[in-house]
Amino acid sequence: MIDLFSGLDAWVLVSLLLALAFVLAFEFINGFHDTANAVATVIYTKAMPPHLAVFFSGVFNFLGVLLGGVGVAYAIVHLLPVELLINVNTGHGLAMVFSLLAAAITWNLGTWYFGIPASSSHTLIGSILGVGLANALINDIPLADGVNWQKAIDIGSSLVFSPMAGFLVAALVLIGLKWWRPLSKMHKTPDQRRNLDDKKHPPFWNRLVLVISAMAVSFVHGSNDGQKGIGLIMLVLIGIVPAQFVLDLSSSTYQIERTRDATLHLSQFYKRNADTLGEFLALGKSLDGDLPEKFRCNPQQTEPTIAALLGTLKGVADYHSLSQESRIEVRRYLLCLDDTAKKVGKLPGLDAREKADLDKLRKDLTTTTEYAPFWVILAVALALGLGTMVGWKRVVLTIGEKIGKQGMTYAQGMSAQITTAGMIGLANIFSLPVSTTHVLSSGVAGTMIANKSGLQGGTVKTILLAWVLTLPATVALSAGLFWLASKALGS
């Protein structure tokens, strides 16, 4: 790993280390901010002592990051338009990274200090959107092109609907438990259990389910939220030291050949569908302009881009053999071809089988650009896992006692946790970032309604206010910081 950073100017190296420290600080804060939600029910119900709960939650968060892949990481990265991603520049990368991280960390710390279960996912996404919009304004790019709005809509939908689904599903699970075992001790609160049964802990089976579901929430939280940190670090590395990280330099000869074959098959795909795609892609009509100099992706330059990529990769068995400039060019070609293929997949006229083939080609195209070195994954896993073990008390009290007018029963805790683990696990399958905070707190609220316990209006209003304000606040904050940083750098 160390050799990747050799030969860097001192100021670039210091900036890089500082940027990596910012990302890991964000993940550490994310650990004690969000993971408090994962252990809230198991601590409040006395199913596990706090020190054991946070320790094992940290372990399962660590494992979740290690085993979670990078699908969600690049869903976050691709919130930025492809034109911004291919325009790799050290100063520009520094301004982008520090602006969005400073905004995210500031908001996260503020909401944690007041014990508000705000969402780190909303915080990060708002910060990224702010940078994209500010970049558009600074460079006279239409706001419609300043952000990958389709990806933003997809992610926004998952962030909006997952809490609603959490509310409904958790309520239904609790109703099912009350119907199945109406007289069970799982419907008691910890205080009722202590006063009526003189027992401190939940019944054995309820306790087991609470512990297992809490660890499941921790694992899926790590695999979802941890990937956001991985995506941020890859933005840092590509933006500050592009020559070493624009491509996966550890790619095998087979992976490089797979990329080359995918490019050939993509060309054949377009020729096969020339009647449908000929006008959109200007097939047979090359436009003037050199892609690497223009920093823009144009579907009508697809054929020249394919030709340039195949020419650059001809005879290449190891990315180390490419010059630094060629590596950057290859990444630009691949990102633009993938972006165009994504647009083509949304055009009318292609049948379902052809669209499925195109999706497979896109995965092969990006196999050496959408990656993360193991040391990046390990660093994020450690930061998130360690962050889990501190700072949890404020949010645990909010989840356990301040959402409903009565304390949480064991059945409510199980219902909320099982629902949260299932919802986030499903989001991971589709590479969608979701908020552990909002899914769990809405699940608890749903069980309070199903249990006829009522909701505390003040707490619910505070959580909703944080939910509504997080995006606009972080968009404005990161956009302002990016504008100031760009002006300072003379961009």
Side-chain angles (χ1 to χ4, degrees):
M1 181 188 93
I2 302 299
D3 62 309
L4 294 174
F5 306 116
S6 60
L8 295 179
D9 292 340
W11 75 272
V12 174
L13 182 59
V14 170
S15 300
L16 174 62
L17 294 175
L18 191 58
L20 293 177
F22 262 61
V23 177
L24 295 178
F26 172 80
E27 279 304 309
F28 184 84
I29 294 167
N30 187 10
F32 70 69
H33 188 283
D34 276 18
T35 311
N37 297 283
V39 297
T41 52
V42 81
I43 291 176
Y44 178 77
T45 56
K46 305 292 191 297
M48 288 182 82
H51 64 283
L52 280 181
V54 295
F55 173 77
F56 282 107
S57 180
V59 170
F60 277 89
N61 266 279
F62 177 85
L63 293 174
V65 179
L66 284 185
L67 303 174
V70 295
V72 174
Y74 280 92
I76 292 290
V77 169
H78 288 300
L79 273 173
L80 295 171
V82 68
E83 285 79 13
L84 190 55
L85 294 175
I86 65 174
N87 187 6
V88 288
N89 171 280
T90 298
H92 191 270
L94 284 172
M96 175 178 68
V97 167
F98 281 117
S99 300
L100 69 90
L101 285 175
I105 289 173
T106 300
W107 187 261
N108 257 5
L109 283 176
T111 52
W112 166 81
Y113 180 80
F114 291 103
I116 301 170
S119 167
S120 293
S121 299
H122 279 192
T123 300
L124 178 57
I125 289 165
S127 299
I128 292 175
L129 293 178
V131 165
L133 293 173
N135 178 74
L137 291 172
I138 291 170
N139 294 290
D140 295 323
I141 298 171
L143 290 181
D145 298 328
V147 170
N148 184 344
W149 289 110
Q150 184 57 55
K151 179 61 70 175
I153 290 170
D154 292 342
I155 292 175
S157 299
S158 72
L159 289 172
V160 169
F161 290 114
S162 57
M164 297 179 183
F167 180 96
L168 180 61
V169 174
L172 292 174
V173 171
L174 181 66
I175 290 171
L177 291 175
K178 290 173 76 72
W179 172 80
W180 179 49
R181 300 286 297 276
L183 301 178
S184 172
K185 294 176 181 177
M186 66 177 159
H187 300 298
K188 292 181 179 179
T189 66
D191 287 342
Q192 290 170 338
R193 173 79 165 161
R194 185 170 54 251
N195 296 332
L196 299 176
D197 300 337
D198 197 26
K199 297 286 182 66
K200 182 180 179 181
H201 302 295
F204 174 77
W205 288 109
N206 302 147
R207 188 177 186 181
L208 183 63
V209 173
L210 282 164
V211 170
I212 292 174
S213 60
M215 296 308 105
V217 170
S218 297
F219 181 85
V220 296
H221 174 269
S223 62
N224 195 281
D225 275 39
Q227 288 191 55
K228 296 160 191 169
I230 292 171
L232 281 177
I233 288 186
M234 293 312 295
L235 276 178
V236 168
L237 295 174
I238 291 169
I240 299 177
V241 279
Q244 302 294 347
F245 293 98
V246 287
L247 297 173
D248 183 0
L249 296 183
S250 66
S251 297
S252 64
T253 302
Y254 168 76
Q255 289 174 309
I256 296 173
E257 289 179 348
R258 182 179 168 190
T259 300
R260 192 161 45 229
D261 288 345
T263 308
L264 281 170
H265 291 148
L266 186 65
S267 177
Q268 294 167 2
F269 176 92
Y270 289 149
K271 290 176 181 176
R272 187 168 69 245
N273 292 279
D275 291 342
T276 303
L277 306 175
E279 184 176 350
F280 180 72
L281 300 176
L283 298 178
K285 305 172 185 176
S286 296
L287 295 183
D288 293 333
D290 185 13
L291 176 66
E293 293 179 0
K294 297 186 82 171
F295 301 110
R296 299 285 300 210
C297 291
N298 184 346
Q300 294 189 325
Q301 287 182 300
T302 295
E303 283 187 317
T305 303
I306 289 175
L309 177 58
L310 291 174
T312 306
L313 291 182
K314 185 177 181 180
V316 173
D318 186 340
Y319 279 144
H320 286 93
S321 65
L322 290 174
S323 67
Q324 294 184 1
E325 293 77 13
S326 294
R327 294 173 198 168
I328 293 173
E329 287 175 358
V330 167
R331 178 173 181 269
R332 289 178 189 150
Y333 295 145
L334 289 170
L335 288 183
C336 284
L337 289 176
D338 177 61
D339 185 64
T340 296
K342 180 171 58 179
K343 293 174 181 175
V344 166
K346 293 181 171 62
L347 294 176
L350 289 178
D351 61 34
R353 182 176 177 178
E354 291 284 58
K355 288 183 178 180
D357 286 346
L358 190 59
D359 286 339
K360 292 174 184 176
L361 287 175
R362 286 185 60 208
K363 290 179 182 177
D364 286 343
L365 276 175
T366 57
T367 188
T368 59
T369 59
E370 294 190 358
Y371 76 102
F374 179 73
W375 67 266
V376 170
I377 297 172
L378 183 63
V380 171
L382 285 171
L384 187 65
L386 292 173
T388 301
M389 301 182 188
V390 298
W392 47 270
K393 289 185 180 179
R394 293 176 185 266
V395 179
V396 167
L397 184 63
T398 300
I399 295 292
E401 295 186 356
K402 294 187 177 180
I403 292 180
K405 292 182 178 178
Q406 299 177 16
M408 184 193 307
T409 67
Y410 304 127
Q412 287 176 270
M414 291 189 296
S415 301
Q417 285 187 167
I418 291 170
T419 299
T420 301
M423 295 289 297
I424 300 175
L426 192 63
N428 287 342
I429 293 173
F430 292 100
S431 298
L432 290 171
V434 293
S435 167
T436 303
T437 300
H438 289 157
V439 175
L440 182 67
S441 57
S442 63
V444 171
T447 65
M448 291 293 175
I449 294 295
N451 201 45
K452 300 180 180 178
S453 303
L455 299 174
Q456 291 194 35
T459 301
V460 173
K461 287 178 183 177
T462 301
I463 293 174
L464 287 175
L465 188 63
W467 186 70
V468 170
L469 291 180
T470 293
L471 275 178
T474 49
V475 166
L477 185 57
S478 67
L481 290 172
F482 183 70
W483 183 82
L484 291 172
S486 297
K487 291 300 179 184
L489 291 168
S491 301

